[in-house]
Amino acid sequence: MRVSASTKVYGIFGHPVEHSLSPVMHNSAFKALRLDCVYLAFDIQMRDLETAARAIKSLGIAGVNITIPHKESMTFFLDKMSPEATLTGAINTVKNENGKLTGYNTDVGGFLRAIKEDLGLNPKGLTVAVLGAGGASRAVVSALCMNEVSRVFVINRTFEKAKKLASEFKKSFKDVSIEAVSPEDSLETENVLKISDLLVNATSAGMEGIEQIEIPLEHLPMQSMVYDLVYKPRETTLLKRAKELGHKVSGGLSMLLYQGAESFEIWTGETAPVEVMKRVIE
Ligand code: ATR
């Protein structure tokens, strides 16, 4: 990669970011298409987010990805948001066009493509249990609701957050049944699992160093599938247990790939070299 005075700069804002796979993924894509672009990781503390957002304009950074913990806060520093970003209330991609910042949420499309490619699933008519009520969960719930899911149960440790998420989405999607569930209510959790076609882990639980969520997987019907957004480790304890019980499962590396591919396309206008990107992250 030759960096010159005209090289376009892209990057990721998050905290922590040193283990992010996005820099290798995007730099390999730029290289494959011979684009004069570079992608860097910027470790941004919460208190510095506004200054960093202004720096996108002042330094002429062409685009950034936004990750934990800034996906929701960053929405306050944009000029425009795409419809799915507005619906989700969180973004993961910013494009700088002549000093105007537009926010996108490619986690929405990334999740949809991941469940389609890995599990052969289309949300239409499904009943889905989603663990978590943070930014990642919001993207998953948006993806499901925008694609005619039938019922969504949001299960979250902090019940208030699940209730808030459910009530917000109910206003936008009158035809979808969206309910909040407390994992402490074991009977309700069991009943939800018994009727779910898909279980999605959108919490950070199960990530390296974070304990796995306790969920009574034995109540999931045999044909139900499990998608875990966590990709480090590749196979979480949740996925391992679900696989042992005979369920079709997939981990979050595919969502990372497809959200990245969509961001790349938004920034460059080129078709993302998905195979190249996949090889480097694997
Ligand atoms: P993200 O953008 O990845 O969604 P987030 O907005 O910080 O990050 O949300 C993290 C989610 O994971 C939350 O739903 C959080 O539950 P709380 O709302 O109760 O905090 C959930 N989470 C994180 N660690 C967890 C754990 N060890 N057990 C259960 N849930 C956990």
Side-chain angles (χ1 to χ4, degrees):
M1 186 195 316
R2 197 130 125 236
V3 175
S4 73
S6 57
T7 302
K8 281 189 177 175
V9 178
Y10 293 87
I12 182 164
F13 286 4
H15 178 72
V17 278
E18 68 262 32
H19 300 297
S20 169
L21 293 175
S22 294
V24 292
M25 182 167 68
H26 285 287
N27 284 318
S28 68
F30 290 146
K31 193 172 163 203
L33 300 193
R34 297 174 185 275
L35 298 176
D36 185 13
C37 303
V38 65
Y39 187 108
L40 306 167
F42 298 97
D43 194 319
I44 311 285
Q45 304 263 0
M46 194 53 112
R47 62 173 181 274
D48 295 324
L49 185 63
E50 183 168 3
T51 316
R54 285 185 207 279
I56 298 173
K57 296 185 185 186
S58 58
L59 301 177
I61 295 172
V64 286
N65 282 131
I66 305 293
T67 188
I68 291 176
H70 305 310
K71 287 184 181 180
E72 288 165 72
S73 320
M74 188 67 190
T75 59
F76 296 109
F77 309 122
L78 302 171
D79 299 296
K80 266 195 321 194
M81 295 227 281
S82 71
E84 83 288 341
T86 305
L87 176 71
T88 308
I91 61 147
N92 75 334
T93 302
V94 177
K95 184 176 186 184
N96 179 3
E97 281 171 300
N98 306 315
K100 291 271 178 255
L101 304 186
T102 305
Y104 299 85
N105 196 317
T106 68
D107 285 336
V108 174
F111 172 73
L112 282 175
R113 191 164 166 194
I115 59 165
K116 182 160 186 269
E117 304 269 342
D118 295 356
L119 304 173
L121 282 182
N122 172 341
K124 190 171 179 178
L126 297 185
T127 295
V128 184
V130 180
L131 304 175
S137 168
R138 285 177 166 270
V140 168
V141 176
S142 291
L144 296 170
C145 291
M146 287 164 81
N147 288 278
E148 301 176 68
V149 72
S150 170
R151 296 182 82 176
V152 179
F153 294 97
V154 182
I155 306 174
N156 195 51
R157 180 177 65 178
T158 309
F159 186 46
E160 284 308 311
K161 262 169 77 179
K163 282 204 287 197
K164 184 166 177 280
L165 194 161
S167 82
E168 271 177 42
F169 276 87
K170 260 189 224 169
K171 284 182 205 140
S172 308
F173 295 95
K174 305 244 184 298
D175 295 339
V176 182
S177 153
I178 310 171
E179 288 165 57
V181 176
S182 164
E184 283 177 17
D185 187 338
S186 48
L187 188 63
E188 197 186 359
T189 305
E190 253 178 61
N191 287 336
V192 164
L193 292 178
K194 278 181 189 160
I195 57 166
S196 294
D197 302 298
L198 172 67
L199 169 68
V200 180
N201 177 36
T203 73
S204 1
M207 223 179 250
E208 263 168 25
I210 306 178
E211 216 173 300
Q212 189 69 65
I213 235 167
E214 275 309 311
I215 193 92
L217 277 182
E218 61 280 11
H219 296 287
L220 264 187
M222 190 50 76
Q223 71 281 5
S224 304
M225 302 185 196
V226 182
Y227 191 86
D228 196 334
L229 268 59
V230 172
Y231 57 81
K232 230 179 185 173
R234 296 280 182 275
E235 189 174 77
T236 58
T237 314
L238 177 79
L239 291 187
K240 211 169 161 185
R241 276 184 50 217
K243 228 163 93 178
E244 283 163 8
L245 289 167
H247 299 285
K248 193 166 175 185
V249 306
S250 179
L253 208 62
S254 50
M255 180 165 162
L256 174 80
L257 172 66
Y258 297 129
Q259 64 77 32
E262 199 178 311
S263 298
F264 184 93
E265 290 173 1
I266 288 169
W267 291 328
T268 66
E270 306 273 350
T271 303
V274 172
E275 284 308 318
V276 172
M277 296 164 87
K278 186 175 176 188
R279 216 176 311 131
V280 295
I281 60 172
E282 277 176 349

